[in-house]
């Protein structure tokens, strides 16, 4: 019954212009769901960070402050938007669009209850990886076009960080692809009778940390490291263009939580509750871990961030590929707990081995 | 101004989120590394020393509150001791003990704020800052109980203190002393062995022992470089020689050592407070001095161990009821004289951390 | 240890001092408050349409402050935004460091003539619906330093101020009351009469 | 206790390098003129038993008939202190040799005295105003400067 | 299968249109006066902590950014080869495993060379 309501994939063929109907329903549906969930998650994060700091978050606007983000949207929608005189006007306007749209598009292939949200691409993972690399382009265009020293320096750093963390992000998914034997996300979710986090702990470890760096959240938030370069790349943006960058950051956080939930925590599968509720629960769990890390950990310096990606995560990702590959190639019918244990041993062994080089504080992280 | 093609001239200006107020640095940056830096002062220069020459001795006390607005008890103490030394005024025993209690409570507040903003610059998004702020609010309640003000107290007078301790003060203080050590251990658990804190602050912004002494640096920054120089031990004033406490010193003078020295000093202040509360004598709290009193002609310099360093007042009197000249030895300004040696060669992110670890207060730098 | 000579830029210093000099000579009279919202009759007949209500509610509820704090009142503002007098309940704990994103300047501290051009430039660069709270006696009239040679006697010489909060430093409750008064003022403003 | 250096010790350590006419003793301070200031500082900094290696503060006072610059030195190792005063009688063109090459800590303090008093320090690496802006008329801390802004 | 790709392409167009309209809403709201709009030359000057900027803003960059781009391209090529192999590994069995290991070893030597030469340091 759930399939019929959520995924009238069957209606696509019967109804005369079912294709267009399907497109209309789900395109508007994805954008609406994403925007409302962004508003809710902004409020959720401010309340959660408030609880971490032993204070109440926003609770005056509406019951429990739920309308706080709505007020933010209304205010920033009607804020004057300033265009710097010596900025590169066209790129200045284009940057938020390039940064925001790929993040929304990534949701099209996320599987919910049996079928993908919009289009069940059989190369789902490659599509997501391609889209996730366009956002850094938009951020750099914004930084360069606004003719400001701070934003230029900050966007240079941001691009190097995003570029460096894409490689471990992509390589960490190869293990998952090997275990499922297909690129489509739907297959991956169905293949997860045992959630991949147990089978692929290294993959999850690298994916989660690399995605933290992709959305430039706490230990790696060079993006708007306001203690260093004032407000990062979006200094000159005000009003709706700044809000679009702000939206991009939160949409990326939600999309990457969805990916972590889908690829490693078993997507929409779950015993009692309907599938959509399971997916939302897992997304909220991953998002609150991200907020928890943001509220506690200090920020790493740019050269440590880069060193961490190139010298720590990349070798670990290659080792993970070799280990999982050898299992799948030589011993396909190995029991799943055996694969999981081997992976865990690899992860812990690698960390202990490498940490001999990084004595606490003796040698800075990243410099071997 | 010929500068190489790709070195950018940038200024971390007065309106900057992490410069602890209105401090400005003009920096030449080559890629990520700072090649040269020039601090610019004066954005909070209110001319306190000129104003003091127009006010009577008693009216200058509220002015000294606003010098280092996080350590107003210590400023009052140093100024009153200088005038008492000039005019030879005796301070009753109980007032001496009360003054030590207030000075140590103020030192705890100032160190908590210094450590909190140090971790804010490191990017922990206010969480340790707000945890330390809860303890600061408890001390602020204690000081408000005594002086009626939350930040700038105007509490000390020549010859003692303005009011005696109200009844609920001592039980509240001993309650605070009971729970504070556990709080300090809580900060330590999060921050002491934190891998990122170590990576960001170990061996960063090293200040050598000779450069520290030569640049007349004082306070936790000097002690972090391994120099065992604390006015409370070297030249004990009021009744510090009756308490036993030790002076924490660092080993290699980097940001991490400055943070460690400040955390240890919190614990030493608690030790002093416990001993002061246990030995608090009875008696009157002030030898009253006439409102418009005229000290004898002459000059006097007296210094105390403020929370940023050696805080000294040099007062010259020409016999009238207004000070002829009042000079404030501002530890924050002098702690910055080695700033260039500490910053050049480091990255921008380190420069913000190193500047935060010196922990200056702009009211004292610009006076 | 040889001490490196500090670089000095004579022409930048000269340019900045010219800017300070002519700002000091030009701002001798306090700038009038943006809208005479204090006298009730004018305000009663402003037709606050439903669009205004929605906009004013949005702008009132999400005020983002600009981190341009100068002196002692900074620590009273921080204790207001800390766990005890939590300003985050009003959604104001977002401290934006760029004037483009923020719409409220809380002038926490004494303003000196050397700092005045910077604050004026930051105010000019803020996006349009913007408000100013003059916090503390130094913000209102120069306070204890009013007769000093280098202190601006009150922020209203430089910026049009909306709400004055007396006190040196004002208690967190006074700051929250001042913010409440500013929110009332935003409620009554309307697009039509460009207040 | 930080003890003040007694006169015999100062005389003993200074007599080879500086003739005793250049400096005299007041209540507890050594008074000298601008000519032999740097010489005395060098000697005291390196004298074996004294080693005043810590310059605590430099300040100036505008007396009716002369400017007086007061230096306060400590020795961290021996824990004793010395107050050195330099008087320059002509108040139109006051200039004193700078000791920044010797003590890096004197850099900003001398610039502050130049800014607020107008006493120019010879051979100071960067003698410019520190608190007030460049074009500021006059020097505020002088007695003849009115309080009004 | 083609309709899936058609759906995605149309969805991308819709999202682009949506985000462009999102950015242009304030411009539309300027006329009725909801969004205030009075630019001034100071307001549109670059913000630098309350001071006007000195020196050029668009300066050349360090050469080291170029190393990162090179390393990224080499490793992207590696990924393009590894993904299809990863999908089919369970059919290929042992014979498919060793060629890729040698391929990774070759790329690995290039990576270690870059590491030793310090291309990965961020000056």
């Amino acid at each position: 019954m759930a399939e019929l309501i959520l995924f009238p994939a069957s209606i696509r063929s019967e109804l005369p212009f079912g294709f267009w109907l399907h497109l209309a329903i789900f395109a508007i549906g994805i954008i609406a769901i994403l925007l409302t969930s962004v508003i809710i998650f902004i409020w959720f994060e401010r309340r959660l960070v408030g609880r971490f700091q032993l204070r109440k978050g926003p609770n005056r606007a509406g019951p429990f402050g739920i309308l706080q983000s709505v007020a933010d949207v209304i205010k920033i929608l009607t804020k004057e938007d300033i265009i710097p005189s010596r900025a590169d006007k066209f790129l200045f306007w284009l940057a938020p669009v390039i940064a925001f749209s790929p993040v929304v598009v990534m949701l099209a292939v996320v599987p919910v209850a049996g079928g993908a949200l919009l289009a069940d691409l059989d190369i789902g993972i490659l599509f997501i990886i391609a889209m996730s690399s366009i956002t850094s382009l938009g951020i750099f265009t914004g930084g360069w076009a606004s003719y400001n020293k701070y934003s230029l320096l900050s966007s240079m750093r941001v691009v190097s960080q995003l570029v460096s963390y894409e490689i471990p992000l992509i390589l960490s998914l190869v293990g998952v692809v090997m275990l499922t034997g297909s690129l489509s996300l739907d297959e991956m979710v169905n293949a997860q009778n045992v959630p991949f986090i147990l089978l692929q702990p290294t993959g999850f470890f690298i994916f989660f940390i690399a995605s933290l760096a992709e959305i430039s959240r706490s230990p790696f938030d060079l993006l708007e490291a306001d203690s260093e370069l004032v407000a990062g790349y979006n200094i000159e943006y005000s009003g709706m263009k700044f809000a679009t960058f702000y939206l991009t950051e939160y949409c990326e956080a939600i999309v990457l939580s969805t990916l972590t939930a889908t690829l490693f925590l078993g997507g929409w599968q779950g015993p009692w509750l309907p599938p959509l509720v399971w997916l939302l629960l897992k997304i909220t769990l991953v998002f609150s871990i991200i907020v928890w890390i943001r509220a506690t950990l200090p920020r790493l310096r740019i050269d440590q961030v880069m060193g961490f990606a190139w010298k720590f995560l990349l070798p670990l990702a290659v080792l993970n590929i070799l280990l999982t590959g050898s299992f799948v190639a030589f011993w396909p019918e190995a029991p799943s707990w055996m694969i999981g244990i081997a992976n865990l041993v690899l992860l812990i062994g690698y960390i202990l081995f490498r940490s001999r080089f990084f004595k606490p504080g003796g040698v800075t992280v990243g410099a071997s | 101004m010929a500068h190489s093609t790709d070195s950018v001239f940038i200024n971390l200006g007065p309106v900057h989120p992490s410069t602890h107020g209105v401090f400005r640095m003009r920096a030449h940056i080559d890629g990520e590394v700072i090649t040269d830096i020039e601090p610019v002062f004066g954005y909070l220069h209110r001319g306190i020393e000129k104003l003091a020459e127009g006010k009577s001795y008693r009216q200058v006390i509220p002015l000294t509150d606003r010098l280092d607005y996080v350590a107003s008890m210590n400023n009052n103490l140093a100024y009153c001791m200088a005038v008492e030394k000039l005019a030879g005024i005796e301070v009753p025993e109980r007032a001496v003990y009360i003054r030590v209690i207030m000075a140590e409570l103020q030192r705890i507040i100032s160190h908590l704020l210094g450590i909190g903003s140090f971790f804010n610059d490191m990017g922990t998004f206010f969480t340790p800052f707000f945890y330390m702020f809860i303890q600061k609010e408890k001390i602020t309640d204690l000081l408000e109980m005594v002086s009626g003000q939350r930040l700038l107290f105007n509490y000390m007078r020549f010859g003692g203190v303005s009011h005696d301790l109200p009844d609920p003060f001592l039980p509240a203080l001993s309650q605070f002393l009971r729970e504070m050590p556990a709080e300090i251990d809580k900060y330590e658990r999060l921050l002491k062995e934190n891998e990122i804190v170590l990576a960001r602050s170990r061996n960063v912004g090293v200040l050598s022992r000779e450069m520290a002494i030569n640049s007349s640096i004082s306070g936790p920054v000097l002690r972090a470089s391994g120099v065992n120089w604390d006015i409370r031990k070297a030249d004990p004033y009021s009744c510090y020689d009756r308490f036993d406490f030790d002076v924490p010193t660092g080993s290699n003078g980097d940001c991490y050592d400055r943070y460690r020295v400040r955390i240890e000093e919190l614990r030493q202040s608690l030790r002093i407070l416990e001993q002061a509360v246990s030995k608090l004598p009875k008696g009157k709290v002030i030898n009253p001095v006439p409102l418009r009193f005229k000290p004898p002609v002459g000059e006097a310099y007296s210094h105390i161990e403020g929370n940023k360093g050696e805080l000294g007042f040099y007062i010259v009197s020409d016999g009238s009821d207004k000070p002829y000249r009042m000079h404030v030895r501002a530890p924050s300004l002098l702690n910055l004289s080695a700033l260039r040696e500490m910053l050049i060669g480091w990255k921008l992110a380190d420069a913000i951390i190193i500047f935060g670890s010196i922990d200056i207060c702009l009211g004292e730098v610009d006076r | 240890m040889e001490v490196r000579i500090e670089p000095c830029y004579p022409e930048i210093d000269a340019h900045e001092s010219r800017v300070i000099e002519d700002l000091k000579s030009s701002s001798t009279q306090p700038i009038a408050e943006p809208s005479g919202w204090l006298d009730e009759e004018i305000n009663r007949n402003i037709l606050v349409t439903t669009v205004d209500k929605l906009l004013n509610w949005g702008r009132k509820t999400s005020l983002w402050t600009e981190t341009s704090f100068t002196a002692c009142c900074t620590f009273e503002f921080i204790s207001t935004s800390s766990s005890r007098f939590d300003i985050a309940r009003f959604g104001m704990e977002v401290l934006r460091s760029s004037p483009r994103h923020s719409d409220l300047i809380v002038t926490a501290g004494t303003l000196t003539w050397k700092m005045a051009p910077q604050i004026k430039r930051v105010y000019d660069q803020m996006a349009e619906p913007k408000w100013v709270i003059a916090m503390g006696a130094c913000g209102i009239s120069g306070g204890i330093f009013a007769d000093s040679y280098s202190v601006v006697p009150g922020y209203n010489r430089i910026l049009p101020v909306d709400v004055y909060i007396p006190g040196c430093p004002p208690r967190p409750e006074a700051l929250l009351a001042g913010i409440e008064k500013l929110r009332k003022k935003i409620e009554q403003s309307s697009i039509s009469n460009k207040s | 206790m930080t003890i003040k250096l007694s006169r015999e010790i100062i005389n003993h350590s200074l007599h080879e390098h500086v003739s005793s006419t250049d400096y005299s003793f007041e209540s507890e301070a050594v008074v000298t003129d601008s000519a032999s200031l740097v010489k005395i500082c060098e000697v005291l900094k390196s004298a074996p038993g004294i080693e005043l290696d810590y310059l605590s503060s430099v300040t100036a006072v505008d007396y009716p008939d002369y400017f007086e610059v007061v230096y306060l030195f400590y020795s961290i190792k021996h824990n004793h202190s010395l107050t050195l005063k330099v008087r320059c009688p002509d108040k139109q063109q006051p200039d004193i040799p700078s000791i920044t090459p010797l003590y890096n800590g004197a850099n900003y303090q001398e610039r502050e005295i130049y800014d607020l008093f107008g006493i120019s320090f010879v051979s100071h690496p960067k003698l410019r105003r520190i608190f007030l802006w460049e074009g500021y008329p006059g020097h505020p801390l002088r007695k003849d400067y009115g309080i009004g802004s | 299968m083609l309709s899936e790709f058609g759906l995605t392409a149309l969805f991308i167009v819709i999202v682009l249109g949506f985000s462009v309209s999102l950015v242009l809403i304030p411009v539309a709201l300027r006329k009725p006066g909801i969004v205030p709009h009075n630019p001034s030359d100071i307001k549109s000057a670059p913000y630098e902590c309350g001071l006007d900027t000195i020196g050029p803003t668009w300066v050349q960059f360090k050469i080291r950014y170029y190393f990162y781009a090179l390393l990224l391209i080499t490793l992207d090529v590696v990924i393009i080869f590894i993904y299809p192999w990863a999908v089919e590994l369970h059919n290929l069995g042992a014979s498919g495993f060793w060629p890729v290991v040698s391929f990774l070893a070759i790329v690995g030597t290039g990576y270690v060379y870059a590491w030793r030469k310090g291309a990965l340091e961020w000056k």
Side-chain angles (χ1 to χ4, degrees), chain E residues 40-51:
Chain E
S40 71
D41 54 359
I42 294 183
K43 186 177 283 186
S44 45
Y47 168 72
E48 202 179 311
C49 292
L51 295 149

Side-chain angles (χ1 to χ4, degrees), chain A residues 172 196-197 199-208 264 313 316-317 319-321 323-324 340 342-348 350:
Chain A
S172 68
F196 275 150
I197 186 168
L199 290 180
Q200 279 278 332
T202 19
F204 174 77
F205 174 77
I206 303 168
F207 182 80
F208 189 70
F264 290 97
L313 286 185
L316 182 60
L319 287 178
N320 176 33
I321 292 172
L323 181 74
T324 327
N343 227 293
L344 199 61
V345 163
L346 166 75
L347 176 65
I348 294 166
Y350 183 82

Side-chain angles (χ1 to χ4, degrees), chain A residues 161-162 210-217 223 249 252-253 256 290:
Chain A
Q161 174 187 325
L162 297 183
S211 62
L212 265 186
E214 281 291 316
I215 49 180
S216 46
R217 291 285 272 213
L223 197 62
E249 190 206 326
E252 249 184 323
L256 277 160
I290 292 176

Side-chain angles (χ1 to χ4, degrees), chain A residues 83-98 141-142 144-146 237 241, chain E residues 20 23:
Chain A
I83 301 138
S85 50
R86 295 174 58 181
D88 182 336
K89 300 283 187 300
F90 175 67
L91 281 183
F92 190 74
W93 280 91
L94 195 64
V97 173
I98 306 175
T141 329
W144 170 275
S146 48
Y237 283 91
K241 294 198 288 298
Chain E
V20 165
V23 169

Side-chain angles (χ1 to χ4, degrees), chain A residues 95-234:
Chain A
V97 173
I98 306 175
F100 179 60
S101 26
V103 176
V104 183
V105 163
M106 275 207 259
L107 271 181
V109 284
V110 168
V112 176
L117 260 181
L118 181 70
D120 192 355
L121 295 180
D122 55 4
I123 50 139
I125 272 289
L126 284 190
F127 177 76
I128 284 181
I129 291 162
M131 284 303 148
S132 78
S133 60
I134 299 177
T135 320
S136 57
L137 198 63
I139 289 171
F140 181 68
T141 329
W144 170 275
S146 48
Y147 194 75
N148 182 314
K149 277 197 190 56
Y150 291 124
S151 62
L152 184 63
L153 274 174
S154 159
S155 53
M156 283 311 302
R157 285 169 159 194
V158 156
V159 165
S160 322
Q161 174 187 325
L162 297 183
V163 152
S164 307
Y165 275 90
E166 253 168 57
I167 308 289
L169 187 79
I170 300 165
L171 285 179
S172 68
L173 296 178
V174 171
V176 172
V177 167
M178 276 190 217
L179 289 180
T180 52
S182 131
L183 285 177
S184 121
L185 280 161
D186 201 23
E187 293 295 326
M188 291 186 184
V189 171
N190 298 342
Q192 276 189 30
N193 30 40
V194 174
F196 275 150
I197 186 168
L198 302 177
L199 290 180
Q200 279 278 332
T202 19
F204 174 77
F205 174 77
I206 303 168
F207 182 80
F208 189 70
I209 289 181
S211 62
L212 265 186
E214 281 291 316
I215 49 180
S216 46
R217 291 285 272 213
S218 175
F220 311 99
D221 57 354
L222 270 323
L223 197 62
E224 26 103 18
D226 47 17
S227 73
E228 282 132 34
L229 290 172
V230 189
Y233 65 90
N234 48 21

Side-chain angles (χ1 to χ4, degrees), chain C residues 6 8 13 21 114 148-149, chain D residues 108 126 128 131 133 149:
Chain C
E6 214 173 279
C8 70
D13 294 345
E21 287 298 336
K114 195 169 183 179
S148 156
Y149 50 88
Chain D
Y108 290 147
K126 182 189 172 192
R128 299 178 65 76
F131 289 144
W133 53 93
S149 63

Side-chain angles (χ1 to χ4, degrees), chain D:
Chain D
M1 259 312 284
T2 312
I3 14 151
K4 296 220 175 315
L5 275 178
S6 66
R7 299 188 178 189
E8 300 74 22
I9 299 174
I10 297 172
N11 280 340
H12 168 65
S13 62
L14 279 183
H15 67 271
E16 300 97 6
H17 312 280
V18 181
S19 74
S20 63
T21 59
D22 292 353
Y23 62 90
S24 63
F25 288 94
E26 230 168 54
S27 54
E28 341 153 318
V30 178
V31 179
T32 170
D33 57 5
S34 52
S36 57
L37 164 67
V38 179
K39 196 80 187 74
I40 290 178
C41 290
E42 271 159 13
V43 166
L44 290 180
K45 183 168 185 181
S46 54
I50 299 182
E51 284 158 280
L52 295 169
D53 50 3
Y54 187 86
L55 168 71
S56 164
S57 80
V58 183
T59 179
V61 187
D62 174 5
Y63 286 104
D65 45 15
Y66 55 81
F67 277 116
E68 180 179 275
V69 178
V70 182
Y71 298 86
L72 177 61
F73 295 99
Y74 290 131
S75 159
I76 301 249
K77 203 156 38 151
H78 310 298
N79 193 2
H80 47 240
S81 74
L82 170 86
T83 312
L84 184 68
K85 293 189 177 181
V86 173
R87 292 194 176 120
C88 57
D90 75 11
K91 295 187 85 170
Q92 273 40 27
Q93 256 306 337
D95 54 3
I96 291 180
S98 151
I99 59 168
T100 305
L102 269 172
Y103 292 96
N104 184 22
N107 187 352
Y108 290 147
Q109 299 181 64
E110 282 172 354
R111 277 180 66 186
E112 179 192 345
I113 292 172
Y114 164 72
D115 186 357
L116 300 180
F117 277 92
I119 304 172
S120 68
F121 286 85
V122 176
S123 77
H124 184 278
K126 182 189 172 192
L127 198 61
R128 299 178 65 76
R129 286 188 176 267
I130 190 169
F131 289 144
L132 297 166
W133 53 93
E134 277 317 310
Y136 189 84
H139 301 286
L141 268 179
R142 286 189 177 181
K143 284 300 174 188
D144 49 17
Y145 185 90
I147 260 194
S149 63

